[in-house]
Amino acid sequence: MVKLSVVVPFFNVQRYVPDALRSLRANARDDFEFLLVDDCSTDGTPEILRRAVREVPGAALLRHEHNRGLATARNTGLDAARGEYIAFLDGDDWVAPGHYAQVLSVIEELGCDFVRTDHVRCTGRERSLQRVPVGRRGEVLRPREAILPADRSTSVDYPYAWAGMYHRRLAERGLLRFTDGLRTAEDRPWIWRLHREADSFAVTRGTPGIFYRRGVASSLTQIGDIRQLDFIRAFDQVLEETANDPEADRLMPKAVRTYCAIIAHHVGAAERFEPVVRRRLRAWSAAALRRMPQDLLAEALDGMDAERAVVLRRLRRRPALVGAGVPA
């Protein structure tokens, strides 16, 4: 019986693949499987992964014939996963020796649907600890209670799929699937759905064992092209699904406020985008603000700092453009 399935998508990260694979080898157990999903890489990644199947115990290679993006690559791994528990890792990150066994022991002891873990952010030679924004650790909590309050950073603002472990029953309920085709922010609708619909979760104690590499040139967070604007589709989905929740009145202010904060962030850093993408960013963001419940939008703007509020109010006043709705 497979105890744990680890889904690891890769796309054109040949420089970093060896680190990820070494860390998987240092976590191998007879009852662990590592599902390596090559999302149609065009560099040396496929050959490295083919060797890994022979060298990393429990490794299996899955390959897309066409590039389909991180969300779909993760779903490909989910469809093949046989484990009682499921975890994720991105192909340019790595984990400490024994990390998965330690997290597995926590989730088995607590018996909850999923656990979340702190992580180490790595930017060049710099290291910084990133903590799950939940104060109570090592005890079972109700996931939807960790969504609020609206005016503070909460668990849905820590969306990283790889920072945790998940019981298979969540996959069977469809709660671990990502929205196919989303090329960035794919983890935002995912984390909101998980916290609205799962029954129990916990945050682990102890030393973080996952290392998240920032500043990778091929990462979409570093590329200013049209794919970055998928955050609008992602947050439209968050709003739509949360609006249909039985506790929508309680949860929607948080969803709207977070969407506003993300729009302000991207517009404030618009210079990194190509000119045509910059224009679409502003037009699509203005349209997104008009789609929000206007009373909740006004409340969110009143509660934000002046700098971000000015950016958003200026966007809100932009004339509506035909075709400036949800990006395709």
Side-chain angles (χ1 to χ4, degrees):
M1 178 179 176
V2 177
K3 177 63 72 170
L4 175 67
S5 299
V6 184
V7 176
V8 195
F10 297 86
F11 177 66
N12 287 354
V13 286
Q14 67 177 36
R15 177 180 175 184
Y16 307 110
V17 174
D19 289 342
L21 295 177
R22 276 193 294 270
S23 74
L24 293 179
R25 192 180 300 115
N27 276 267
R29 274 183 16 179
D30 290 343
D31 54 352
F32 286 6
E33 66 176 4
F34 304 118
L35 301 168
L36 314 178
V37 185
D38 176 26
D39 193 22
C40 197
S41 297
T42 57
D43 62 358
T45 299
E47 179 56 34
I48 299 173
L49 295 181
R50 282 191 287 269
R51 291 200 304 268
V53 174
R54 301 189 298 269
E55 298 170 359
V56 178
L61 178 59
L62 308 169
R63 192 170 194 276
H64 289 168
E65 293 302 319
H66 304 282
N67 179 256
R68 300 172 65 187
L70 177 59
T72 303
R74 284 176 175 165
N75 288 341
T76 295
L78 278 172
D79 290 339
R82 299 175 296 153
E84 182 181 357
Y85 295 92
I86 295 167
F88 300 95
L89 180 68
D90 285 354
D92 48 11
D93 299 333
W94 74 97
V95 291
H99 169 73
Y100 289 124
Q102 292 171 9
V103 179
L104 178 63
S105 68
V106 173
I107 194 171
E108 288 192 306
E109 178 183 350
L110 295 175
C112 53
D113 284 344
F114 67 98
V115 295
R116 303 290 280 155
T117 67
D118 299 333
H119 72 275
V120 178
R121 176 180 293 174
C122 307
T123 306
R125 295 181 179 275
E126 295 181 6
R127 302 289 186 268
S128 61
L129 174 63
Q130 306 296 310
R131 291 173 59 83
V132 184
V134 174
R136 295 162 61 187
R137 293 172 173 247
E139 60 180 291
V140 178
L141 306 171
R142 190 167 179 245
R144 68 172 44 230
E145 295 306 318
I147 296 174
L148 300 175
D151 60 349
R152 280 173 35 198
S153 181
T154 70
S155 194
V156 291
D157 302 310
Y158 187 88
Y160 316 107
W162 35 257
M165 191 171 289
Y166 315 90
H167 195 282
R168 183 173 194 84
R169 57 180 170 261
L170 296 177
E172 293 169 351
R173 293 173 57 188
L175 299 185
L176 293 186
R177 292 194 72 79
F178 296 83
T179 302
D180 279 316
L182 276 182
R183 296 160 294 182
T184 190
E186 75 292 327
D187 45 11
R188 295 292 185 157
W190 179 87
I191 194 69
W192 271 85
R193 187 186 313 117
L194 200 58
H195 274 277
R196 285 194 315 265
E197 300 187 29
D199 297 319
S200 59
F201 90 113
V203 180
T204 63
R205 298 190 180 103
T207 304
I210 190 157
F211 297 84
Y212 169 44
R213 200 189 304 268
R214 292 279 291 176
V216 176
S218 60
S219 170
L220 280 181
T221 60
Q222 304 297 311
I223 299 172
D225 70 15
I226 195 69
R227 292 172 292 178
Q228 278 275 20
L229 302 194
D230 273 9
F231 83 88
I232 294 176
R233 291 176 54 209
F235 273 96
D236 277 356
Q237 183 180 343
V238 170
L239 288 194
E240 180 181 357
E241 293 177 353
T242 305
N244 292 321
D245 189 271
E247 293 188 292
D249 289 347
R250 198 166 72 93
L251 301 180
M252 278 294 286
K254 172 65 175 177
V256 169
R257 186 182 179 95
T258 304
Y259 198 171
C260 286
I262 297 296
I263 289 174
H265 166 76
H266 283 290
V267 172
E271 292 306 312
R272 77 182 191 276
F273 291 105
E274 303 160 358
V276 65
V277 178
R278 197 179 310 146
R279 291 192 293 271
R280 290 182 181 179
L281 167 65
R282 294 190 175 108
W284 289 351
S285 295
L289 292 172
R290 286 189 288 272
R291 288 194 299 273
M292 296 178 193
Q294 294 302 294
D295 57 335
L296 296 182
L297 174 58
E299 180 182 316
L301 295 179
D302 288 344
M304 298 182 84
D305 60 87
E307 183 177 352
R308 291 188 298 175
V310 166
V311 169
L312 295 170
R313 288 194 171 101
R314 188 177 296 135
L315 275 176
R316 194 182 182 191
R317 292 194 296 268
R318 285 176 62 102
L321 299 178
V322 176
V326 181

